Amino acid sequence: MPTTQQVRALLAEGLDYRGAAARLGIAPGLAYLIATGFPADGSGAPSPEEHRARGLLPASQDLSNPPAENPAAREVVRRWLHDRVAADDRMRGR
């Protein structure tokens, strides 16, 4: 598990939370949690003063959820769907 110092050092080098997370092999939301002590989903919101003092992002929730991925875009999924339809008369509309 990366340390607070490791995450903050990467941020000081100019990386954002996504870049620091990629370098450390962790999720961006976890990098944010390690560096700030606050979850990226917005729960446990600090006061405005603490927000400024800790250098927190104005909005961090996008770091807590990975981007959606459409598995149908993978060739292996397309082949599987094709084979399922070919094996099932009702799916072929007969």
Side-chain angles (χ1 to χ4, degrees):
M1 180 64 63
T3 65
T4 302
Q5 292 77 16
Q6 288 173 310
V7 176
R8 288 183 180 170
L10 291 172
L11 295 173
E13 288 179 17
L15 293 173
D16 62 3
Y17 286 101
R18 291 185 197 287
R23 182 100 45 102
L24 295 167
I26 60 174
L30 182 55
Y32 187 80
L33 177 64
I34 291 170
T36 66
F38 287 99
D41 68 0
S43 62
S47 68
E49 295 79 20
E50 189 174 12
H51 209 279
R52 282 189 298 278
R54 288 182 164 218
L56 302 177
L57 295 176
S60 60
Q61 194 164 14
D62 64 321
L63 297 174
S64 66
N65 299 317
E69 181 180 334
N70 182 357
R74 293 186 187 156
E75 185 56 35
V76 67
V77 174
R78 286 190 185 109
R79 276 195 312 264
W80 180 83
L81 287 170
H82 179 269
D83 293 347
R84 292 281 299 163
V85 170
D88 189 321
D89 287 338
R90 289 180 59 197
M91 291 178 96
R92 287 192 315 245
R94 294 182 182 175

